[in-house]
């Protein structure tokens, strides 16, 4: 089961840190932008982004357990962006990192199944199998309800992967909808958490973790205790540490099931560490990733 796979990988690497990759072609590490001399603008940008991402992964891999690929940042480059995305994912896997596809997909069941195939693989055609991105985890938007989540869960289980459902996110506007009180009591996010708990209940591994997890923003740690009551076996992906103001020290309740109960994702605070702290980009990124790893592991 994927929960056991994740727990084993966290233990082996002694890390719960996820490197977020959301590359901006106009703000790459020095020496990366404009390197390719041939090809269309999209192809050249894709090559530069690939070089940037590879360098960032190489610098920080030892301190991380996974990479989180923000799909939109690659897809905006068109077909070149998808090729870059596949190459970045392959590079991360080659260094022993899990791959999280962060696309926040959500749609009616037929479309949800197609999204899942694209990101997880398992596409059978009359021309042969199409591998897809082969992600280990993907993020899912639950707004359309349980039947829009279930195809992702089914596809993930078939692929030996996992799903992360948006429950209580890190953005300021999350309160506009996710914190609204329901007529029957509780907030919207608590209802989604109940769904997550139920979907994952049938696939809990020996490590005590299911293959259906939750995105719980680190910017609102006051919700974590209640979230654990509703999703006792879910892994929490915890965005918002660093640039958004979240603090590792406030996230202890996420790790109640064990060290793999929480995955702390950081993007800008690692990639831009040289801007904040000075020094060469790779060295600064490595130092920041290691600092986060040590603080999280101590919890």
């Amino acid at each position: 089961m994927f929960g056991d796979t994740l727990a084993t990988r966290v233990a082996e690497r002694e890390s719960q840190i996820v490197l977020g990759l959301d590359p901006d072609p106009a703000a790459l590490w020095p020496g990366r932008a404009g390197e390719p001399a041939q090809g269309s603008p999209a192809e050249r940008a894709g090559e530069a982004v690939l070089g940037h991402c590879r360098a960032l992964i190489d610098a920080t891999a030892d301190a991380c357990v996974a990479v989180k690929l923000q799909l939109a940042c690659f897809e905006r480059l068109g077909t070149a962006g998808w090729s870059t995305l596949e190459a970045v994912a392959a590079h991360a896997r080659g260094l022993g990192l899990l791959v999280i596809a962060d696309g926040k997909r959500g749609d009616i069941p037929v479309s949800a199944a197609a999204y899942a195939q694209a990101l997880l693989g398992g596409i059978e055609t009359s021309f042969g199998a199409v591998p897809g991105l082969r992600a280990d985890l993907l993020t899912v938007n639950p707004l359309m309800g349980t039947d829009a989540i279930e195809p992702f869960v089914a596809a993930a289980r078939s692929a030996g992967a996992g799903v992360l459902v948006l429950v209580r996110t890190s953005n300021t506007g999350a309160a506009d909808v996710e914190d609204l009180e329901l007529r029957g009591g509780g907030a919207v996010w608590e209802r989604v958490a109940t769904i997550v708990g139920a979907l994952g209940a049938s696939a809990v591994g020996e490590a005590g973790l299911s293959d259906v997890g939750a995105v719980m923003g680190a910017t609102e740690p006051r919700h974590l205790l209640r979230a654990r009551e509703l999703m006792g076996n879910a892994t929490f992906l915890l965005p918002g540490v660093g640039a958004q103001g979240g603090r590792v020290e406030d996230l202890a309740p996420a790790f109640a099931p064990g060290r793999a109960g929480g995955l702390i994702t950081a993007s800008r605070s690692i990639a831009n560490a040289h801007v904040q702290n000075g020094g060469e980009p790779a060295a600064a990124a490595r130092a920041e990733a290691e600092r986060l790893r040590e603080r999280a592991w101590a919890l």
Side-chain angles (χ1 to χ4, degrees), residues 40 49 51 54 72 75 86 96 100 104 108 112-113 121 130-131 138 158 168 173 179 209 267:
S40 69
V49 165
R54 281 176 172 165
E75 290 172 341
E86 291 179 324
I100 302 173
K104 303 175 180 68
I108 61 173
V130 179
L138 52 84
S158 178
R168 203 333 178 149
D179 290 351
L209 295 173
S267 303

Side-chain angles (χ1 to χ4, degrees), residues 91-106:
H91 189 72
R93 281 193 294 267
L95 292 177
L97 297 170
L98 297 171
V99 174
I100 302 173
D102 187 10
K104 303 175 180 68
R105 307 297 199 224

Side-chain angles (χ1 to χ4, degrees), residues 104-116 139-152:
K104 303 175 180 68
R105 307 297 199 224
D107 210 328
I108 61 173
V110 171
S111 299
Y115 279 134
T139 58
V140 175
N141 190 323
L143 182 62
M144 294 180 68
T146 305
D147 65 343
I149 304 173
E150 289 172 333
F152 290 102

Side-chain angles (χ1 to χ4, degrees), residues 170-286:
S170 60
N171 58 305
T172 303
D176 295 343
V177 174
E178 295 167 6
D179 290 351
L180 292 178
E181 289 295 316
L182 299 173
R183 182 168 52 194
V188 169
W189 78 261
E190 290 175 290
R191 173 59 184 149
V192 177
T194 301
I195 293 171
V196 169
L199 287 173
S202 63
V204 178
E206 294 181 3
L209 295 173
S210 74
D211 55 4
V212 184
V215 178
M216 293 293 304
T219 53
E220 288 289 347
R222 61 192 173 92
H223 294 311
L224 290 178
L225 282 173
R226 175 59 175 156
R228 268 288 162 236
E229 292 176 2
L230 299 171
M231 302 177 289
N233 302 112
T235 291
F236 292 175
L237 182 70
L238 301 157
V241 168
Q244 292 186 58
R247 298 183 342 122
V248 172
E249 293 81 0
D250 297 331
L251 305 178
F255 301 98
R259 293 191 188 274
L263 299 174
I264 297 173
T265 178
S267 303
R268 287 170 288 172
S269 62
I270 293 178
N272 297 334
H274 63 290
V275 177
Q276 298 296 322
N277 305 324
E280 189 268 333
R286 183 180 303 111

